[in-house]
Amino acid sequence: MDASHGGSGREGRQGQLIPADAWERPDMRAALSKREISTVYRLLRQHGVSQRQIAALTGQSQSEVSEILKGRQVMAYDVLTRISDGLGVPRGYMGLAYDEATAIRVVGAADGQQAEEDESVKRRRFLAHAAQVTMGAAVFGSESGTWAANPARTPAPGRIGMTDVRQVEAATRALRALDYQYGGGFCRDAVVAQLSWGQQMLESNGTELVKSRLFVALADLHSLAGWTSFDTGLMDSARGHFANALDLAKQGENHPLVANVLYRMGRVYLHQEAPNDALKLFQLGQIAAQESGSELAVAVLCANEAWAYAMMGNDDQAMKLLGRSKDEFARADIANAESWVKFFNETDVYAMIGTVHTVLAQQNAAHTKYAIPALTRAVDSYDDDMARSKAFMLSALATNHLIDGDLDQGARVGGKALDCADGIKSERVRDRMRPMQIEAEKRRNNADARDLADRLHAFYAA
């Protein structure tokens, strides 16, 4: 290639083709932060970059580029990385700035490094930290520094504005949608990468208003990192992220988010079959929810307290809290609720009613008559973007049908649960199907139940 045509290699070509300021324009930054590659490509076309040139820079075929321009989404992390590098996009603009040092700084010590500490000790330590945060103690003291290792820090941007914070919020929304649909294993690395970019801003200058909103935005992103870590079975990482989320939410004076983080960590403990510890976190979350004045946040905490009581075999308290959850939900101003509690809609109310009765049904089969209609309502309301939740509810519904003696229906619904779970990268889905497996195995003398048990055996062996 002649030097007069821009030098050799991709760098020379992209330098000539794409204006130097293209990545800094607000419309482009917004598209990059949400990973809307079709918009990125359309904006490049407006800069005079052809489809053929985009294909050459990104290593894609022209037909792929054409499909993306027509709206096809790009979700695969390696493809996003290739596009970013090929076009010369600063990786952080797409939340892709990810290397080993960053991973350790953001995620904290690997789970194996903390494994020697007994799980119950770690739970109590987190609970003490949560109590300090919720009851108003200083949160940026020595304790919060013990959750994660802290290698050399990446230099932070000098000054940030509201646009930078909105990009963190937009990326969090997009990544949360991926988590709901495909599971934490699909997007956890991307969440951590986005955190590595967002965390730098804590060192930046900005107005009080910007900094306060940044605390809340990063708290929400840490909460998502905790949730995706939990979903992939990385419990120590989850705990570290939730601890950071608590500190930042408190710093941003956002009570509903404090309540939400405590609810999520309580769910981790329910999953670990530690309902006493879970209940304590839900009760702390209830304090923050009451302070926030959000009936919806109170409803979420009540429903989960009911779940904990059900696991402890306390029917009366479980029913009482479930009733209160329904009452609070009926009074809630959903339209004006904070974004982190808006997920709790009518479908989730039915899902929680069904879940609590499913736990109780495993001790007393009479509860199936309440669980089955509630779970059926929830299942019928979930669409494809809530695939993980649908898989949870289908497996619970199958469990109830099996307990109820309706074995062919139990096997049929169980098969749907397995179909729904296919392609979801979530350890929780596997764990939440265990009761269905137990009930199917108990009934191996029935052909339908035996077929379901065999399918489940193959599912766990895969």
Side-chain angles (χ1 to χ4, degrees):
M1 188 183 205
D2 192 290
S4 64
H5 288 90
S8 62
R10 179 169 285 169
E11 196 174 321
R13 293 200 302 279
Q14 77 194 18
Q16 271 207 329
L17 292 172
I18 301 171
D21 67 344
W23 309 123
E24 305 305 325
R25 299 184 183 187
D27 52 356
M28 183 66 88
R29 285 292 292 271
L32 290 168
S33 71
K34 293 184 233 175
R35 299 182 181 170
E36 291 175 350
I37 305 302
S38 58
T39 305
V40 171
Y41 284 6
R42 277 198 296 276
L43 291 170
L44 287 177
R45 295 284 291 113
Q46 290 170 22
H47 285 302
V49 184
S50 71
Q51 284 191 45
R52 183 177 58 77
Q53 290 164 331
I54 292 171
L57 291 172
T58 60
Q60 295 175 299
S61 67
Q62 284 193 58
S63 63
E64 279 182 283
V65 172
S66 176
E67 284 176 26
I68 290 167
L69 278 162
K70 287 174 187 167
R72 193 190 93 194
Q73 285 184 288
V74 179
M75 293 182 181
Y77 196 79
D78 57 337
V79 178
L80 289 166
T81 305
R82 196 169 73 238
I83 289 169
S84 171
D85 292 347
L87 296 175
V89 180
R91 277 187 168 208
Y93 289 8
M94 290 170 68
L96 298 168
Y98 188 67
D99 55 32
E100 193 62 30
T102 303
I104 293 169
R105 179 167 60 82
V106 177
V107 179
D111 280 69
Q113 290 174 264
Q114 298 179 33
E116 69 280 359
E117 189 177 30
D118 183 75
E119 181 60 35
S120 63
V121 173
K122 288 186 279 195
R123 281 203 294 268
R124 283 199 297 274
R125 202 159 65 86
F126 184 92
L127 186 61
H129 179 71
Q132 281 185 325
V133 172
T134 311
M135 306 309 282
V139 293
F140 285 118
S142 58
E143 180 64 17
S144 58
T146 65
W147 295 106
N150 193 23
R153 295 187 304 200
T154 310
R159 186 167 187 82
I160 57 167
M162 206 56 89
T163 301
D164 297 292
V165 180
R166 279 197 292 265
Q167 285 172 354
V168 174
E169 292 167 346
T172 304
R173 282 194 299 273
L175 289 163
R176 183 168 276 126
L178 291 177
D179 169 59
Y180 278 137
Q181 189 165 5
Y182 301 109
F186 185 87
C187 61
R188 181 178 173 274
D189 281 358
V191 175
V192 170
Q194 186 65 38
L195 254 181
S196 74
W197 180 249
Q199 284 280 111
Q200 299 175 59
M201 296 184 196
L202 289 172
E203 308 297 326
S204 306
N205 294 316
T207 66
E208 283 300 311
L209 189 64
V210 167
K211 294 287 273 189
S212 179
R213 186 154 159 184
L214 177 65
F215 288 138
V216 174
L218 289 177
D220 194 29
L221 188 54
H222 265 296
S223 180
L224 179 58
W227 196 247
T228 53
S229 297
F230 166 41
D231 203 44
T232 47
L234 299 171
M235 296 305 181
D236 285 323
S237 291
R239 201 183 338 256
H241 283 300
F242 284 132
N244 285 325
L246 266 185
D247 292 349
L248 287 161
K250 187 70 171 182
Q251 188 78 352
E253 299 180 350
N254 195 294
H255 295 299
L257 187 52
V258 169
N260 188 272
V261 173
L262 290 168
Y263 137 72
R264 290 181 184 279
M265 195 61 207
R267 286 288 286 271
V268 173
Y269 292 165
L270 282 187
H271 194 78
Q272 293 179 320
E273 298 189 357
N276 281 295
D277 290 326
L279 184 62
K280 288 174 186 140
L281 285 178
F282 294 145
Q283 288 167 339
L284 282 173
Q286 195 64 267
I287 294 168
Q290 301 277 7
E291 283 182 28
S292 77
S294 167
E295 290 93 349
L296 196 56
V298 173
V300 171
L301 270 303
C302 286
N304 282 276
E305 286 176 75
W307 191 349
Y309 278 119
M311 286 182 70
M312 291 155 69
N314 190 331
D315 290 40
D316 291 344
Q317 278 295 91
M319 291 302 97
K320 182 178 168 186
L321 269 299
L322 211 48
R324 189 176 165 208
S325 178
K326 288 187 273 190
D327 292 343
E328 294 286 349
F329 179 80
R331 296 194 300 120
D333 180 6
I334 295 169
N336 296 308
E338 295 274 359
S339 59
W340 17 89
V341 288
K342 273 193 175 175
F343 75 90
F344 196 73
N345 55 26
E346 191 176 33
T347 302
D348 286 272
V349 174
Y350 284 114
M352 288 302 296
I353 293 168
T355 298
V356 170
H357 281 291
T358 300
V359 173
L360 294 170
Q362 289 164 72
Q363 304 154 27
N364 177 358
H367 283 275
T368 59
K369 68 181 176 188
Y370 305 107
I372 289 170
L375 291 167
T376 302
R377 285 283 294 268
V379 165
D380 290 346
S381 301
Y382 284 129
D383 50 27
D384 290 343
D385 61 0
M386 295 291 286
R388 181 178 56 203
S389 296
K390 190 171 185 175
F392 288 161
M393 294 307 112
L394 282 166
S395 66
L397 183 55
T399 302
N400 280 280
H401 282 305
L402 291 169
I403 292 170
D404 208 32
D406 193 352
L407 303 188
D408 60 335
Q409 181 68 355
R412 190 157 48 245
V413 175
K416 285 183 184 175
L418 284 163
D419 292 341
C420 193
D422 188 37
I424 301 174
K425 292 183 165 67
S426 167
E427 282 300 308
R428 279 198 302 147
V429 168
R430 298 170 71 84
D431 292 341
R432 290 278 286 272
M433 286 192 177
R434 291 292 182 190
M436 177 171 69
Q437 185 187 33
I438 289 165
E439 298 302 331
E441 288 288 350
K442 282 182 190 172
R443 296 160 176 83
R444 270 195 165 272
N445 60 337
N446 174 273
D448 293 322
R450 187 166 57 251
D451 287 346
L452 178 60
D454 290 342
R455 258 194 88 180
L456 280 160
H457 184 75
F459 172 75
Y460 286 111

